[in-house]
CSV table of all heavy atoms in Angstrom, one decimal:
chain,number,residue,atom,x,y,z
X,440,CYS,N,110.9,97.7,128.3
X,440,CYS,CA,109.7,97.4,127.4
X,440,CYS,C,110.1,96.7,126.1
X,440,CYS,O,109.4,95.7,125.6
X,440,CYS,CB,109.0,98.7,127.2
X,440,CYS,SG,108.1,99.5,128.4
X,441,ALA,N,111.3,97.1,125.6
X,441,ALA,CA,111.7,96.3,124.4
X,441,ALA,C,111.9,94.8,124.6
X,441,ALA,O,111.6,94.0,123.8
X,441,ALA,CB,113.0,97.0,123.7
X,442,VAL,N,112.5,94.6,125.8
X,442,VAL,CA,112.8,93.1,126.1
X,442,VAL,C,111.5,92.5,126.4
X,442,VAL,O,111.3,91.3,125.9
X,442,VAL,CB,113.6,93.1,127.4
X,442,VAL,CG1,113.9,91.8,127.9
X,442,VAL,CG2,115.1,93.7,127.1
X,443,VAL,N,110.6,93.2,127.0
X,443,VAL,CA,109.2,92.5,127.2
X,443,VAL,C,108.5,92.2,125.9
X,443,VAL,O,107.9,91.2,125.7
X,443,VAL,CB,108.3,93.4,128.1
X,443,VAL,CG1,106.9,93.0,128.1
X,443,VAL,CG2,108.9,93.6,129.4
X,444,GLY,N,108.7,93.2,124.9
X,444,GLY,CA,108.1,92.9,123.5
X,444,GLY,C,108.8,91.7,122.9
X,444,GLY,O,108.0,90.8,122.4
X,445,VAL,N,110.1,91.4,123.2
X,445,VAL,CA,110.7,90.2,122.5
X,445,VAL,C,110.2,89.0,123.2
X,445,VAL,O,109.8,87.9,122.6
X,445,VAL,CB,112.2,90.2,122.7
X,445,VAL,CG1,112.8,89.0,122.3
X,445,VAL,CG2,112.7,91.4,121.8
X,446,VAL,N,110.0,89.0,124.6
X,446,VAL,CA,109.3,87.9,125.3
X,446,VAL,C,107.9,87.7,124.8
X,446,VAL,O,107.4,86.5,124.7
X,446,VAL,CB,109.4,88.2,126.9
X,446,VAL,CG1,108.6,87.1,127.6
X,446,VAL,CG2,110.7,88.3,127.4
X,447,GLY,N,107.2,88.9,124.6
X,447,GLY,CA,105.8,88.6,124.0
X,447,GLY,C,105.8,87.9,122.7
X,447,GLY,O,104.9,87.2,122.3
X,448,MET,N,106.8,88.2,121.9
X,448,MET,CA,106.9,87.6,120.6
X,448,MET,C,106.9,86.0,120.7
X,448,MET,O,106.5,85.2,119.9
X,448,MET,CB,108.1,88.1,119.7
X,448,MET,CG,108.0,89.5,119.3
X,448,MET,SD,109.2,90.0,118.2
X,448,MET,CE,108.8,91.7,117.7
X,449,ALA,N,107.8,85.7,121.8
X,449,ALA,CA,108.1,84.2,122.1
X,449,ALA,C,106.6,83.6,122.5
X,449,ALA,O,106.4,82.5,122.2
X,449,ALA,CB,109.0,84.0,123.2
X,450,LEU,N,105.9,84.4,123.4
X,450,LEU,CA,104.6,83.8,123.8
X,450,LEU,C,103.7,83.7,122.7
X,450,LEU,O,102.9,82.7,122.6
X,450,LEU,CB,104.0,84.8,124.9
X,450,LEU,CG,104.7,84.9,126.3
X,450,LEU,CD1,104.2,85.9,127.0
X,450,LEU,CD2,104.7,83.5,126.9
X,451,ALA,N,103.7,84.7,121.6
X,451,ALA,CA,102.8,84.6,120.6
X,451,ALA,C,103.2,83.4,119.7
X,451,ALA,O,102.2,82.7,119.2
X,451,ALA,CB,103.0,85.8,119.7
X,452,ALA,N,104.4,83.0,119.6
X,452,ALA,CA,104.8,81.7,118.9
X,452,ALA,C,104.3,80.6,119.7
X,452,ALA,O,103.7,79.7,119.0
X,452,ALA,CB,106.3,81.7,118.8
X,453,ALA,N,104.4,80.5,120.9
X,453,ALA,CA,103.8,79.4,121.8
X,453,ALA,C,102.3,79.2,121.8
X,453,ALA,O,101.9,78.1,121.5
X,453,ALA,CB,104.2,79.7,123.2
X,454,TYR,N,101.6,80.3,121.8
X,454,TYR,CA,100.1,80.1,121.7
X,454,TYR,C,99.6,79.8,120.2
X,454,TYR,O,98.7,79.2,120.1
X,454,TYR,CB,99.3,81.2,122.3
X,454,TYR,CG,99.3,82.5,121.8
X,454,TYR,CD1,98.7,82.9,120.5
X,454,TYR,CD2,99.9,83.7,122.4
X,454,TYR,CE1,98.7,84.1,119.9
X,454,TYR,CE2,99.9,84.9,121.8
X,454,TYR,CZ,99.3,85.1,120.7
X,454,TYR,OH,99.3,86.4,120.2
X,455,SER,N,100.3,80.4,119.4
X,455,SER,CA,100.0,80.1,117.9
X,455,SER,C,100.2,78.7,117.6
X,455,SER,O,99.3,78.0,116.8
X,455,SER,CB,100.7,81.0,117.0
X,455,SER,OG,100.4,82.3,117.1
X,456,LEU,N,101.4,78.1,117.9
X,456,LEU,CA,101.6,76.7,117.7
X,456,LEU,C,100.7,75.8,118.5
X,456,LEU,O,100.3,74.7,118.0
X,456,LEU,CB,103.0,76.4,118.0
X,456,LEU,CG,104.1,77.2,117.2
X,456,LEU,CD1,105.4,76.8,117.7
X,456,LEU,CD2,103.9,76.6,115.7
X,457,ARG,N,100.2,76.3,119.7
X,457,ARG,CA,99.2,75.5,120.4
X,457,ARG,C,98.0,75.4,119.6
X,457,ARG,O,97.2,74.3,119.5
X,457,ARG,CB,99.0,76.1,121.7
X,457,ARG,CG,97.8,75.6,122.5
X,457,ARG,CD,97.5,76.5,123.8
X,457,ARG,NE,96.3,76.0,124.2
X,457,ARG,CZ,95.2,76.8,124.7
X,457,ARG,NH1,95.3,78.0,124.6
X,457,ARG,NH2,94.2,76.3,125.3
X,458,VAL,N,97.4,76.5,119.1
X,458,VAL,CA,96.2,76.5,118.4
X,458,VAL,C,96.4,75.5,117.1
X,458,VAL,O,95.5,74.8,116.8
X,458,VAL,CB,95.8,77.9,117.9
X,458,VAL,CG1,94.6,77.9,117.0
X,458,VAL,CG2,95.5,78.7,119.2
X,459,LEU,N,97.5,75.8,116.4
X,459,LEU,CA,97.6,75.1,115.1
X,459,LEU,C,97.8,73.5,115.4
X,459,LEU,O,97.2,72.8,114.6
X,459,LEU,CB,98.9,75.6,114.4
X,459,LEU,CG,98.7,77.1,113.9
X,459,LEU,CD1,100.0,77.5,113.2
X,459,LEU,CD2,97.5,77.1,112.9
X,460,ARG,N,98.4,73.2,116.4
X,460,ARG,CA,98.4,71.8,116.7
X,460,ARG,C,97.2,71.3,117.1
X,460,ARG,O,96.8,70.0,116.7
X,460,ARG,CB,99.5,71.6,118.0
X,460,ARG,CG,99.6,70.2,118.4
X,460,ARG,CD,100.3,70.1,119.7
X,460,ARG,NE,99.5,70.7,120.8
X,460,ARG,CZ,99.9,70.9,122.0
X,460,ARG,NH1,101.2,70.6,122.4
X,460,ARG,NH2,99.3,71.5,122.9
X,461,THR,N,96.3,71.9,117.8
X,461,THR,CA,95.0,71.4,118.3
X,461,THR,C,94.0,71.5,117.0
X,461,THR,O,93.3,70.6,116.9
X,461,THR,CB,94.5,72.3,119.4
X,461,THR,OG1,95.3,72.3,120.5
X,461,THR,CG2,93.1,71.8,119.9
X,462,VAL,N,94.0,72.6,116.3
X,462,VAL,CA,92.9,72.8,115.3
X,462,VAL,C,93.4,72.2,114.0
X,462,VAL,O,92.6,71.5,113.3
X,462,VAL,CB,92.5,74.2,115.3
X,462,VAL,CG1,91.3,74.4,114.2
X,462,VAL,CG2,92.0,74.7,116.7
X,463,TRP,N,94.5,72.7,113.5
X,463,TRP,CA,95.0,72.5,112.1
X,463,TRP,C,95.4,70.9,112.1
X,463,TRP,O,95.0,70.2,111.1
X,463,TRP,CB,96.1,73.4,111.7
X,463,TRP,CG,96.5,73.1,110.3
X,463,TRP,CD1,95.9,73.4,109.2
X,463,TRP,CD2,97.8,72.6,109.9
X,463,TRP,NE1,96.6,73.2,108.0
X,463,TRP,CE2,97.7,72.5,108.5
X,463,TRP,CE3,98.7,71.9,110.6
X,463,TRP,CZ2,98.8,71.9,107.8
X,463,TRP,CZ3,99.9,71.4,109.9
X,463,TRP,CH2,99.8,71.4,108.5
X,464,ALA,N,96.2,70.6,113.0
X,464,ALA,CA,96.7,69.1,113.0
X,464,ALA,C,95.8,68.2,113.6
X,464,ALA,O,95.7,67.0,113.2
X,464,ALA,CB,98.1,69.0,113.8
X,465,GLY,N,94.9,68.7,114.4
X,465,GLY,CA,93.9,67.8,115.0
X,465,GLY,C,94.3,67.0,116.2
X,465,GLY,O,95.6,66.9,116.4
X,466,HIS,N,93.4,66.3,116.9
X,466,HIS,CA,93.9,65.5,118.0
X,466,HIS,C,94.3,64.2,117.6
X,466,HIS,O,93.8,63.6,116.6
X,466,HIS,CB,92.6,65.2,118.9
X,466,HIS,CG,92.3,66.5,119.7
X,466,HIS,ND1,92.8,66.7,121.1
X,466,HIS,CD2,91.8,67.7,119.4
X,466,HIS,CE1,92.3,67.8,121.5
X,466,HIS,NE2,91.7,68.4,120.6
X,467,SER,N,95.5,63.7,118.2
X,467,SER,CA,96.0,62.5,117.7
X,467,SER,C,95.1,61.3,117.9
X,467,SER,O,94.5,61.1,119.0
X,467,SER,CB,97.4,62.2,118.6
X,467,SER,OG,97.9,60.9,118.3
X,468,GLY,N,94.9,60.5,116.9
X,468,GLY,CA,94.0,59.3,117.0
X,468,GLY,C,92.7,59.6,116.9
X,468,GLY,O,91.9,58.6,117.0
Side-chain angles (χ1 to χ4, degrees):
C440 291
V442 173
V443 169
V445 174
V446 174
M448 292 179 180
L450 290 175
Y454 68 70
S455 296
L456 293 175
R457 172 196 172 218
V458 171
L459 294 178
R460 181 191 63 189
T461 302
V462 179
W463 183 75
H466 285 260
S467 178

